[in-house]
Amino acid sequence: MKMNELMENYKQQNCNKRMYWKLMRERLLPLLEYQKIIADNRNCESIEIRKNGIILSVSGVKLYFDFSQIVCRAEVILSKSENEDWDFIRCLVPKFGTIFDIGANVGWFSLNIRECIINCVNRKETV
């Protein structure tokens, strides 16, 4: 049963308060999983649930979860499914090299490369 259905059942007195709280808690527990995912992902800052959508804040950039797409950028970042791609790309970036972002999406790789270069220059390392 979905949360709004459960709320309606409680409102119509089809379940007692104790059972309602128990069932609501079961549906809210996944929020704790998201909290852990955000804590374990160095790029993710927060997830906001708004009336007009769900937003992932990443390195100062706000990304909407667009579920009309097959896979949206926010999902990819949150799931860390591009980590191996990022590791590969980072190996290709020459020290003090020039990077061109061709605009395939939100510039996620460019933002990370920029951050990596700044951190390496500050530590006097190679990318």
Side-chain angles (χ1 to χ4, degrees):
M1 181 182 310
K2 294 184 178 183
M3 287 176 69
N4 55 357
E5 294 169 347
L6 180 57
M7 288 179 198
E8 189 60 34
N9 277 341
Y10 176 69
K11 186 177 174 181
Q12 294 176 6
Q13 299 179 344
N14 292 336
C15 68
N16 65 43
K17 189 178 282 189
R18 186 175 191 88
M19 180 58 71
Y20 175 67
W21 287 345
K22 179 181 183 284
L23 295 172
M24 284 300 285
R25 165 129 336 151
E26 288 173 5
R27 284 149 183 82
L28 292 169
L29 284 175
L31 292 174
L32 296 175
E33 290 182 58
Y34 285 106
Q35 181 185 25
K36 179 157 179 33
I37 289 169
I38 290 171
D40 292 343
N41 190 325
R42 69 175 180 84
N43 297 309
C44 296
E45 297 159 356
S46 66
I47 295 177
E48 298 175 53
I49 301 173
R50 298 182 177 179
K51 288 183 179 185
N52 63 344
I54 302 171
I55 301 168
L56 176 65
S57 294
V58 181
S59 303
V61 177
K62 294 192 181 294
L63 303 167
Y64 283 87
F65 281 86
D66 182 355
F67 294 108
S68 68
Q69 298 179 357
I70 293 171
V71 177
C72 74
R73 179 58 49 192
E75 288 176 274
V76 171
I77 293 168
L78 189 63
S79 68
K80 297 183 182 180
S81 61
E82 286 186 340
N83 283 1
E84 59 276 352
D85 298 339
W86 166 240
D87 291 341
F88 175 72
I89 290 171
R90 192 172 63 198
C91 292
L92 298 175
V93 177
K95 187 174 183 178
F96 304 111
T98 301
I99 307 299
F100 291 97
D101 184 345
I102 60 169
N105 203 313
V106 296
W108 175 248
F109 285 103
S110 295
L111 290 170
N112 278 284
I113 290 169
R114 179 185 170 275
E115 179 183 319
C116 182
I117 290 171
I118 289 170
N119 290 338
C120 290
V121 168
N122 289 339
R123 291 191 311 257
K124 296 180 176 49
E125 299 175 8
T126 60
V127 178

